[in-house]
């Protein structure tokens, strides 16, 4: 049986790989080391041009860090949502909290209203909110289509107990989608124990640079990386294992 798999895609090419592997949807992001930030116009448009069957959801997150946003950041988010509507993507992904750790209901409503008729997912801002059950009801009332969550743990496997309760309390009113640390080695158990029907994963492999001339001692960023000559990209074979449960 084909599972509903959403791939966290870090590029247009990763969207191509996700589609080839049989995924139902991608969450297109830049800034993966920061937990995902809004991709560029060019990346979104190229992903649209290179795919035809897969739904593309775009993360709307102007920066890494917390989910308490300034007026300038909110304006940027609204403009990015408008761009996504113009480009005809399937949906957008965002989450906003108050300084007290609750869902920022007025701001979420503003963004959701701006996004209509696109599908809306609340991302893992949910995992750092104060009261997940209160937040669940608020997001249902706001009209979100799904919640991406690790069960407020470091990964979804550890979060199974809370995810199970959320699925039960949601009772079909919103989709609870486990994500973070969903592997082909644990997805069966997560599915069985939580009752979830959609899953979020990366299914990436390391891609080696084709550069022949290399200056290894000159990094391009401040973050520690294993090599400037390695990138990661969604792997269609890994996607297929999640979707169809094929033998490794």
């Amino acid at each position: 049986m084909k599972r509903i798999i959403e791939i966290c895609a870090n590029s247009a090419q990763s969207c191509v790989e996700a589609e080839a592997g049989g995924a139902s949807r991608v969450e297109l992001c830049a800034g993966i080391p920061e937990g995902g930030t809004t991709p560029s116009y060019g990346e979104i448009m190229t992903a649209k041009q290179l795919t035809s069957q897969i739904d593309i959801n775009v993360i709307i997150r102007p920066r890494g860090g917390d989910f308490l946003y300034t007026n300038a950041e909110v304006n940027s988010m609204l403009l990015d949502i408008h761009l996504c509507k113009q480009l005809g993507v399937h949906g957008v992904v965002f989450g906003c909290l108050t300084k007290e750790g609750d869902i920022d209901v007025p701001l979420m409503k503003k963004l959701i209203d701006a996004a209509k008729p696109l599908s809306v997912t609340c991302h893992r801002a949910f995992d750092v909110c104060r009261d997940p059950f209160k937040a669940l009801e608020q997001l249902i009332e706001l009209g979100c289509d799904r919640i991406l969550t690790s069960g407020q743990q470091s990964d979804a496997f550890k979060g199974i107990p809370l995810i199970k309760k959320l699925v039960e309390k949601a009772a079909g009113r919103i989709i609870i989608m486990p994500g973070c640390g969903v592997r082909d080695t644990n997805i069966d158990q997560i599915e069985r124990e939580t009752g979830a029907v959609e899953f979020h994963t990366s299914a990436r492999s390391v891609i080696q640079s084709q550069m022949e001339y290399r200056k290894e001692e000159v990094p391009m960023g401040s973050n520690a990386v294993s090599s400037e000559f390695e990138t990661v990209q969604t792997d269609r074979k890994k996607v297929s294992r999640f979707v169809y449960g094929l033998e490794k």
Side-chain angles (χ1 to χ4, degrees):
M1 179 180 177
K2 179 179 176 180
R3 289 188 176 110
I4 298 175
I5 296 293
E6 176 182 281
I7 295 297
C8 180
N10 62 342
S11 66
Q13 186 59 44
S14 283
C15 293
V16 172
E17 293 294 314
E19 182 176 73
S24 301
R25 186 173 58 244
V26 296
E27 179 194 51
L28 181 57
C29 309
I32 295 295
E34 298 176 87
T37 55
T38 309
S40 70
Y41 165 88
E43 202 72 64
I44 301 168
M45 190 66 204
T46 302
K48 285 281 293 178
Q49 290 173 340
L50 294 180
T51 60
S52 59
Q53 303 298 320
I54 201 165
D55 288 336
I56 297 175
N57 286 359
V58 176
I59 194 169
I60 305 297
R61 188 172 178 230
R63 56 162 172 78
D66 64 34
F67 305 101
L68 180 66
Y69 294 112
T70 66
N71 290 335
E73 289 167 340
V74 170
N75 188 62
S76 174
M77 294 168 80
L78 288 166
L79 290 171
D80 284 332
I81 288 170
H82 179 66
L83 174 64
C84 287
K85 290 173 71 173
Q86 287 184 318
L87 294 178
V89 302
H90 176 262
V92 285
V93 183
F94 51 78
C96 310
L97 301 179
T98 66
K99 64 182 180 180
E100 294 81 15
D102 297 313
I103 297 294
D104 189 333
V105 173
L107 179 52
M108 286 293 288
K109 185 178 187 305
K110 185 174 185 178
L111 296 176
I112 290 168
D113 286 346
K116 290 179 179 176
L118 301 184
S119 174
V120 173
T121 299
C122 178
H123 59 39
R124 292 187 62 227
F126 179 87
D127 284 328
V128 291
C129 76
R130 183 167 55 176
D131 184 339
F133 298 110
K134 178 183 176 182
L136 171 68
E137 297 301 327
Q138 290 174 324
L139 292 169
I140 290 170
E141 180 66 24
L142 284 164
C144 281
D145 295 293
R146 69 182 49 78
I147 298 170
L148 169 61
T149 178
S150 63
Q152 297 205 326
Q153 297 294 323
S154 57
D155 63 67
F157 188 77
K158 293 177 183 176
I160 283 175
L162 178 57
I163 295 171
K164 181 178 187 293
K165 291 178 182 177
L166 291 168
V167 170
E168 291 170 350
K169 288 188 178 294
R173 296 175 295 160
I174 193 170
I175 296 164
I176 304 299
M177 179 171 62
C180 184
V182 175
R183 310 290 185 221
D184 59 357
T185 54
N186 64 23
I187 189 170
D188 288 342
Q189 186 174 348
I190 295 172
E191 182 177 43
R192 183 173 61 253
E193 295 189 15
T194 65
V197 297
E198 296 191 6
F199 302 88
H200 176 95
T201 188
S202 59
R204 297 189 196 107
S205 290
V206 173
I207 304 296
Q208 295 293 331
S209 169
Q210 297 303 302
M211 286 292 296
E212 295 179 0
Y213 173 76
R214 300 186 176 197
K215 213 162 209 178
E216 299 273 6
E217 70 277 12
V218 184
M220 293 295 107
S222 58
N223 291 334
V225 295
S226 58
S227 172
E228 294 289 353
F229 299 96
E230 290 181 354
T231 56
V232 291
Q233 180 178 289
T234 300
D235 183 329
R236 65 183 66 189
K237 292 180 180 179
K238 289 186 176 182
V239 174
S240 290
R241 291 205 293 268
F242 283 102
V243 175
Y244 302 106
L246 300 180
E247 291 296 323
K248 302 176 188 59

